[in-house]
């Protein structure tokens, strides 16, 4: 920005510093985005590479878990949009509505069980692959959009780092959930 404005050279110097601060702010927003992105998604890569999933090229199993999550959530949204009523209409507790919500939530168990039944591996690798794919799908579909939009603002916000830690905890949650569904299916 080398345009001379009426006045002294001090005004020109002040405008140059202002532009430099904007470039530094842009660099900081990208740094914040990269840090939040790495905190959210790097553990998936590390778990995949440090286990036998990478040795046997289990990308297909992760894809099964990913697509299982996507189709299960789409089916749940379709059912809720079609049959659920708005809870804002009345302030009374409705047993039928809550029972319907429990039945719809049970579809997660059926979805994981179906994906586990169709996965060709046995045992621990099946559980780890499907659970990791399920958690990856949940993280991408619920955290990537807000992460992309929110961390590029000039203000630092802790909620994106908290979302990254939450994503790491969801890895443990979904692998445990997949393990419990596998044990439940084996019992039958």
């Amino acid at each position: 920005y080398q345009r001379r404005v009426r006045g002294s050279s001090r005004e020109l110097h002040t405008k140059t510093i202002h532009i430099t601060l904007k470039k530094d702010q842009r660099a900081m927003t990208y740094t914040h985005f990269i840090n939040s992105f790495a905190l959210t998604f790097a553990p998936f890569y590390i778990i995949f590479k440090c286990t036998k999933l990478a040795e046997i090229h289990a990308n297909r199993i992760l894809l099964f878990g990913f697509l299982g999550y996507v189709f299960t959530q789409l089916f749940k949204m379709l059912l809720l949009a079609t049959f659920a009523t708005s809870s804002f209409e009345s302030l009374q507790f409705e047993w039928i509505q809550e029972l319907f919500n429990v039945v719809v939530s049970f579809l997660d168990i059926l979805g994981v069980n179906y994906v586990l039944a169709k996965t060709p591996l046995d045992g621990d690798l099946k559980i780890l692959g499907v659970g990791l794919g399920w958690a990856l799908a949940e993280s991408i579909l619920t955290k990537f959009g807000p992460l992309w939009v929110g961390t590029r603002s000039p203000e630092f916000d802790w909620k994106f780092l908290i979302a990254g830690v939450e994503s790491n905890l969801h890895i443990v949650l979904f692998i445990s959930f997949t393990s419990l569904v596998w044990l439940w299916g084996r019992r039958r």
Side-chain angles (χ1 to χ4, degrees), residues 91-142:
L91 297 175
Q92 296 177 355
F93 184 77
E94 298 179 21
W95 285 98
I96 295 174
Q97 183 64 36
E98 292 302 317
L99 184 65
F100 180 71
N101 289 340
V102 168
V103 170
V104 168
S105 296
F106 188 71
L107 290 175
D108 282 331
I109 297 172
L110 295 177
V112 169
N113 192 26
Y114 179 77
V115 172
L116 285 171
K118 297 299 181 184
T119 304
L121 285 179
D122 291 326
D124 296 341
L125 291 178
K126 178 193 289 193
I127 294 168
L128 183 63
V130 171
L132 196 62
W134 200 273
L136 180 64
E138 192 268 339
S139 290
I140 288 174
L141 295 177
T142 61

Side-chain angles (χ1 to χ4, degrees), residues 10-25:
R10 187 173 183 203
E11 290 178 8
L12 179 66
H13 181 68
T14 306
K15 289 182 181 181
T16 305
I17 290 173
H18 181 68
I19 291 172
T20 306
L21 287 177
K22 283 191 175 187
K23 287 180 184 177
D24 288 343
Q25 283 178 347

Side-chain angles (χ1 to χ4, degrees), residues 5-187:
V5 182
R6 183 185 296 177
S8 67
S9 63
R10 187 173 183 203
E11 290 178 8
L12 179 66
H13 181 68
T14 306
K15 289 182 181 181
T16 305
I17 290 173
H18 181 68
I19 291 172
T20 306
L21 287 177
K22 283 191 175 187
K23 287 180 184 177
D24 288 343
Q25 283 178 347
R26 262 188 265 136
M28 286 304 292
T29 59
Y30 288 121
T31 303
H32 181 51
F33 170 72
I34 289 169
N35 287 337
S36 299
F37 185 82
L39 181 63
T40 304
F41 295 108
F44 293 102
Y45 181 77
I46 292 170
I47 291 171
F48 182 77
K49 284 297 185 181
C50 293
T51 58
K52 289 185 179 181
L53 290 173
E55 294 175 11
I56 62 169
H57 303 291
N59 298 337
R60 188 171 149 194
I61 296 168
L62 288 176
L63 183 66
F64 284 162
F66 189 93
L67 292 176
Y69 177 83
V70 169
F71 288 126
T72 302
Q73 295 304 314
L74 286 175
F75 189 62
K76 284 172 55 175
M77 283 193 295
L78 181 69
L79 285 177
L80 287 173
T82 305
F83 298 113
T85 59
S86 175
S87 61
F88 297 114
E89 294 173 3
S90 67
L91 297 175
Q92 296 177 355
F93 184 77
E94 298 179 21
W95 285 98
I96 295 174
Q97 183 64 36
E98 292 302 317
L99 184 65
F100 180 71
N101 289 340
V102 168
V103 170
V104 168
S105 296
F106 188 71
L107 290 175
D108 282 331
I109 297 172
L110 295 177
V112 169
N113 192 26
Y114 179 77
V115 172
L116 285 171
K118 297 299 181 184
T119 304
L121 285 179
D122 291 326
D124 296 341
L125 291 178
K126 178 193 289 193
I127 294 168
L128 183 63
V130 171
L132 196 62
W134 200 273
L136 180 64
E138 192 268 339
S139 290
I140 288 174
L141 295 177
T142 61
K143 302 212 177 4
F144 183 73
L147 188 71
W148 178 259
V149 173
T151 57
R152 296 184 58 189
S153 69
E155 298 174 1
F156 176 81
D157 198 355
W158 283 99
K159 68 181 175 182
F160 302 110
L161 295 177
I162 292 171
V165 172
E166 184 181 70
S167 175
N168 295 335
L169 293 174
H170 280 184
I171 294 172
V172 176
L173 174 86
F174 285 121
I175 291 174
S176 302
F177 177 69
T178 305
S179 177
L180 289 173
V181 171
W182 180 74
L183 287 172
W184 175 70
R186 223 175 107 188
R187 185 179 60 110

